[in-house]
């Protein structure tokens, strides 16, 4: 073939391969039915195996952030309610849970896991209604993983001697557990399951904006005949959590939430005998080398930051792209962002659901302005947003400097900052240059590069050629201001036992 013909052929192939992302076809709505779910109008506190009214008689509303409509009223627990719950947990610990055999404990956990699986669809719909997350995620990630944490820890209950070979594991007593709103049922499961497996009892404080699945879990505990007082659930706001951390008869605090509140809790525990684990914020780096499979990397980046509206502690919110491929990769990323569907969390086609609360939306929006003020270039696809509810378009910032606030601070929303790098040394320095150290990702064709880089990045979890993958057998936790202690895996049992030789 002559040179001219060759070039013409090439141009034809190129144009045939060019996908027009701006086509105006749309998916038909595919809403998940919510007819089968059972929600009470009003929820009391779950103490000593029963739902009881809060002592001060106060209730607050939990809303559906996609519609700004009330879902239910929920009891606001006070210091007195926390005290009643801790007493119930102590009594259950001394009289029942520390006395029954480990095998029996395991059976309860297996039973709870199985009922969660039976009720998976109802739990998924309630999770999406209360938190705003897409039903696809609640169904395939949150609820199955929550059940898997109970299954996994059920298996350990009578095998603690194998978890800690040569040592004897004793339970520690009553655990106070405080969880955030981004993975409400999953966070409850990953805290309650290891505590119970190791023989402790629990008082749990769910997040104010997402209490419903924890209360449904309380109904599951009743159905599973879990002895009264073994798990108590006291709903409320920050003050309820603070009362729990202050209570003198708590042996261990497990907190997941922001670094600011984590620091407050840590200070309040100084001088007490309470053990504690803190799972805090993050600003994780997702690193793309020129030898990576680019289309897969694009999916990984999208999943890393836009999964669950970026309400993920380990979200890959800082993207580092090797300079030689930056232009190509960013173009692919923008094209892919154009196809993302933002909208009804109950629609199975939705990629990005509602932002969890008005306050969180305002926080994210403030960073959208801060980024521009700092001199970065902002890109958002032109997707439609619903009229009511709290929504944020997926956002990408380029021309970002390492010192920018959008590259240093946790935004906790669907906002990605992009920087480039030339060498391995440069990207490691940049990746480590934040106060956080929770997670990160590396995309490359070379296994040796993966091992070399992941061992130099100071973060608790590092994914290679994938992102945001979780498993109950794998430990999770942070370096630096991302927290202390590990949850998940055998490591997750350590904070709930006292080891003797
Ligand atoms: P948050 O404001 O720190 O709240 C977390 C929990 O603590 C909520 O239940 C909250 O109650 C309660 N709380 C508030 N003030 C308290 C106090 N003074 N004493 C005791 N408890 C108190 O965090 P968030 O906004 O819910 O969650 C987002 C944060 O969690 C992000 O920073 C994210 O990175 C982090 N996170 C970390 C992990 C991890 O594993 N490392 C996992 C998920 C999330 P209210 O809901 O009523 O405020
Ligand atoms: Mg809600």
């Amino acid at each position: 073939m002559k040179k001219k013909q060759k070039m013409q052929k090439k141009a034809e192939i190129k144009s045939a391969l060019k996908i027009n992302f701006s086509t105006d076809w749309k998916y038909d709505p595919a809403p998940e039915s919510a007819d089968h779910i059972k929600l009470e109008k009003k929820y009391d506190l779950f103490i000593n195996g029963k739902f009881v009214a809060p002592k001060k008689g106060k209730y607050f509303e939990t809303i559906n952030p996609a519609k700004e409509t009330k879902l239910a009223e929920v009891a606001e627990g006070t210091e007195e309610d926390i005290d009643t719950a801790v007493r119930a947990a102590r009594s259950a610990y001394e009289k029942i849970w520390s006395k029954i055999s480990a095998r029996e404990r395991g059976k309860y956990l297996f039973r709870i896991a199985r009922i969660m699986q039976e009720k998976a669809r109802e739990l998924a719909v309630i999770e999406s209604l209360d938190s705003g997350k897409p039903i696809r995620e609640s169904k395939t990630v949150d609820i199955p993983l929550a059940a898997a944490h109970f299954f996994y820890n059920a298996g350990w209950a009578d095998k603690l001697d194998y978890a800690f070979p040569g040592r004897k594991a004793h339970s520690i007593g009553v655990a106070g557990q405080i969880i955030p709103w981004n993975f409400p049922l999953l966070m409850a499961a990953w805290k309650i399951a290891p505590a119970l497996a190791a023989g402790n009892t629990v008082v749990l404080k769910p997040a104010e904006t997402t209490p419903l699945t924890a209360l449904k879990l309380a109904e599951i505990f009743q159905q599973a005949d879990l002895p009264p007082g073994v798990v108590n659930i006291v709903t409320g706001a920050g003050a309820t959590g603070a009362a729990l951390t202050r209570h003198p008869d708590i042996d261990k605090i497990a907190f997941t939430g922001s670094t600011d509140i984590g620091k407050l809790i840590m200070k309040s525990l100084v001088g007490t005998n309470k053990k504690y684990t803190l799972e805090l914020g993050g600003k994780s780096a997702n690193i793309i080398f020129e030898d990576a499979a680019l289309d897969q990397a694009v999916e990984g980046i999208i999943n890393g930051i836009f999964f669950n509206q970026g309400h993920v502690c380990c979200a890959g919110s800082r993207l580092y792209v090797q300079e030689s491929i930056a232009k190509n990769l960013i173009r692919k990323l923008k094209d892919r962002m154009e196809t993302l569907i933002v909208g009804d969390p109950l629609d199975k086609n939705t990629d990005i659901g509602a932002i969890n609360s008005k306050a969180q939306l305002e926080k994210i929006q403030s960073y959208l302005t801060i980024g521009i003020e700092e001199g970065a270039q902002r890109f958002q696809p032109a997707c439609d947003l619903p009229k009511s509810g709290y929504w944020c378009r997926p956002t990408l910032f380029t021309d970002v400097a390492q010192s920018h606030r959008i590259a240093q601070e946790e935004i906790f929303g669907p906002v990605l900052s992009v920087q480039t790098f030339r060498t391995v040394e440069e990207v490691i320095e940049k990746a480590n240059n934040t106060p956080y150290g929770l997670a990160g990702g590396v995309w490359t064709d070379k296994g040796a590069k993966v091992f070399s880089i992941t061992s130099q990045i100071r973060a608790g979890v590092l994914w290679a050629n994938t992102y945001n993958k979780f498993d109950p057998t794998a430990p999770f936790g942070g370096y630096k201001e991302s927290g202390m202690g590990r949850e998940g895996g055998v490591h997750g049992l350590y904070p709930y036992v006292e080891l003797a030789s």
Side-chain angles (χ1 to χ4, degrees), residues 61-65 69 71 129-132 208-212 356:
E61 290 181 358
T62 185
I63 65 154
N64 173 353
T69 50
L71 290 167
L129 285 172
D130 203 15
S131 70
E208 188 184 354
T209 56
T210 54
L212 293 181
N356 181 261

Side-chain angles (χ1 to χ4, degrees), residues 360-438:
Q360 187 59 23
L361 179 61
E362 284 167 2
K363 180 181 166 196
I364 298 168
Q365 283 168 338
S366 76
Y367 279 100
L368 298 185
T369 314
I370 289 168
I372 289 177
E373 285 166 0
E374 289 179 316
Q377 295 292 323
R378 188 173 81 190
F379 168 81
Q380 290 181 319
C383 53
D384 297 332
L385 297 183
K387 298 272 174 302
S388 62
Y390 313 131
W391 309 98
C392 180
R393 289 196 172 83
T395 305
L396 181 148
F397 278 111
T398 47
D399 290 344
V400 176
Q402 187 69 23
S403 58
H404 284 173
R405 287 181 63 192
I406 54 167
Q408 290 287 331
E409 296 173 15
E410 184 182 47
I411 301 174
F412 222 56
V415 184
L416 179 65
S417 69
V418 186
Q419 294 182 69
T420 58
F421 67 93
R422 287 184 184 169
T423 64
V424 168
E425 294 71 30
E426 179 188 352
V427 77
I428 288 170
E429 196 169 329
K430 282 179 164 168
N432 282 333
N433 180 1
T434 75
Y436 296 110
L438 193 56

Side-chain angles (χ1 to χ4, degrees), residues 179 181-182 205 208 237-238 255-258 279-281 313 410 412:
I179 54 173
W181 43 260
N182 59 343
K205 206 296 276 179
E208 188 184 354
F255 172 79
T256 297
S258 60
E279 299 281 355
L280 310 176
C313 50
E410 184 182 47
F412 222 56

Side-chain angles (χ1 to χ4, degrees), residues 205-224:
K205 206 296 276 179
E208 188 184 354
T209 56
T210 54
L212 293 181
T213 43
L215 293 161
K216 292 305 276 186
L217 185 59
E219 292 174 1
I220 292 175
F221 294 150
Q222 286 182 323
Q223 203 181 327

